[in-house]
Amino acid sequence: MHVPRGEKSAPGPAAEPEPEPRSATPPKVSSFLGKAAYVVGPGTAVIGLLYYFGSVYTDAYYASFGVPPADLQLSVQAYLAKSPDAVFGPVWFLLVCGLVVLLVLGRIGHVLARPGNERRRRTVCWWFLGVGLVMAMLGFPLFFGYRIPNPLPASWWGTEYVPILVVALGATLAFYAVQQRLQRSAVDSARRDETAERMWAAGGALLIGLLAMSLFFGMTRYVADSGQTDAWRAIEGGHAGSLPVVVYSRIPLTHDAKDIAYRDVGTAKGPYRHQYTGFRLLAKSPSRFYLVSYASRYADHLTVVLPDDDTVRVELTSPAVT
């Protein structure tokens, strides 16, 4: 349209800037890293837990023989190899208990969600919250070994693990009540209080932490007890799973191990003329041999420590040789 000179044209709509062209395909690097984080994160946590429990088991096992675990200088792979046998039992037990608790609580939640059960649902949730907190508080004195009247049986199970399970179950019930409260508030938006919701959510996070802490502490105690129990079984079984060894020494050895046979072989073995049979190899460190007698039992058990130098020579034999 022609505009005469001296006249201004009416202002029209401002021209919108053209959008920048977007990439047709999203970056693959970020998506790959995001997927890898879902795998590497939990995997690293699992490996860390297996390493920790393997070290607890191994340290408790060798400490029962009086062997300093730090002297063995075991590798990470050695600790990881010990962990499956130590944690399989409690993990299986906790998974079964967790499945039962989830099924029961899920059934309760399904019944309470029916129309007309609002008042009953609120009453049950408050009861679960109160009972759960009381169970957690009552479990802590027994949990940390305070001297209070203990109604539990005087056994290792009653005094060690039942308080831990009581704390875990109490935290689970209280967390269930918190979740029911948060779900109901999300549905009833008219009565929703943001400050109260944040407080309830923080309480639920603390209960999850309490549950995780109690289970972790219980697992640590169980693994340590398993190491000591396996050491006791190995001693009472005559160390049948350890390799028999024959010790040759330049000089006579002074020891108090039970039923160790001694023979002077003369010059047949060169300078190593003093032969000792009946030992079994318990462990080997970079500078020492830790030997035990096949005939010793827990009451008279001891560990013989020999230096790994030119004064002795240790031969590994077949397990059939005693």
Side-chain angles (χ1 to χ4, degrees):
M1 179 179 66
H2 177 69
V3 180
R5 183 177 298 179
E7 297 182 1
K8 297 182 179 181
S9 60
E16 297 181 357
E18 296 182 359
E20 297 181 359
R22 296 182 180 181
S23 177
T25 58
K28 295 182 178 180
V29 177
S30 60
S31 61
F32 171 76
L33 293 178
K35 293 178 181 179
Y38 284 105
V39 178
V40 175
T44 303
V46 170
I47 293 177
L49 288 175
L50 290 177
Y51 171 79
Y52 173 77
F53 289 128
S55 63
V56 170
Y57 173 86
T58 305
D59 292 351
Y61 180 83
Y62 287 111
S64 301
F65 297 100
V67 178
D71 190 38
L72 301 179
Q73 300 182 14
L74 298 177
S75 63
V76 175
Q77 292 80 3
Y79 285 126
L80 291 176
K82 292 290 185 181
S83 59
D85 293 337
V87 303
F88 175 78
V91 168
W92 177 85
F93 176 77
L94 291 177
L95 289 178
V96 172
C97 292
L99 177 61
V100 172
V101 171
L102 287 178
L103 290 177
V104 172
L105 294 181
R107 180 59 181 173
I108 294 175
H110 178 72
V111 173
L112 296 178
R114 295 174 182 175
N117 287 339
E118 176 61 25
R119 184 175 181 180
R120 182 180 300 176
R121 184 198 64 81
R122 188 181 299 108
T123 302
V124 170
C125 289
W126 280 112
W127 269 101
F128 274 14
L129 180 62
V131 171
L133 293 178
V134 169
M135 291 175 64
M137 295 304 174
L138 288 180
F140 269 106
L142 300 177
F143 192 62
F144 290 104
Y146 288 104
R147 294 183 178 274
I148 62 174
N150 188 357
L152 301 174
S155 62
W156 64 272
W157 175 259
T159 56
E160 293 289 336
Y161 301 110
V162 170
I164 298 174
L165 295 178
V166 168
V167 174
L169 181 58
T172 303
L173 294 179
F175 178 75
Y176 175 79
V178 171
Q179 286 297 103
Q180 290 292 319
R181 171 67 170 74
L182 294 175
Q183 291 176 4
R184 195 60 185 175
S185 297
V187 174
D188 191 2
S189 58
R191 302 173 58 184
R192 187 173 182 180
D193 187 354
E194 295 294 337
T195 303
E197 295 304 306
R198 287 194 293 268
M199 294 299 295
W200 281 98
L206 292 176
L207 290 171
I208 287 292
L210 177 61
L211 175 62
M213 183 189 68
S214 60
L215 294 180
F216 180 80
F217 191 81
M219 285 280 293
T220 302
R221 280 194 172 185
Y222 179 88
V223 171
D225 290 342
S226 297
Q228 296 175 358
T229 302
D230 290 345
W232 179 83
R233 291 176 179 173
I235 295 172
E236 292 298 317
H239 297 278
S242 302
L243 287 177
V245 297
V246 178
V247 178
Y248 295 94
S249 176
R250 291 175 177 266
I251 58 177
L253 299 178
T254 302
H255 64 86
D256 294 324
K258 185 179 179 181
D259 291 349
I260 299 299
Y262 166 75
R263 186 165 68 96
D264 188 350
V265 297
T267 59
K269 295 291 182 178
Y272 301 95
R273 59 185 300 172
H274 304 282
Q275 181 191 65
Y276 298 87
T277 57
F279 282 116
R280 292 184 181 272
L281 180 64
L282 174 64
K284 172 67 173 67
S285 73
S287 59
R288 297 180 181 87
F289 292 97
Y290 294 94
L291 308 178
V292 291
S293 172
Y294 76 98
S296 64
R297 294 300 179 263
Y298 198 80
D300 56 358
H301 187 272
L302 54 86
T303 302
V304 178
V305 183
L306 297 180
D308 184 10
D309 54 21
D310 59 355
T311 60
V312 296
R313 184 163 59 89
V314 178
E315 290 184 352
L316 302 179
T317 62
S318 171
V321 179
T322 57

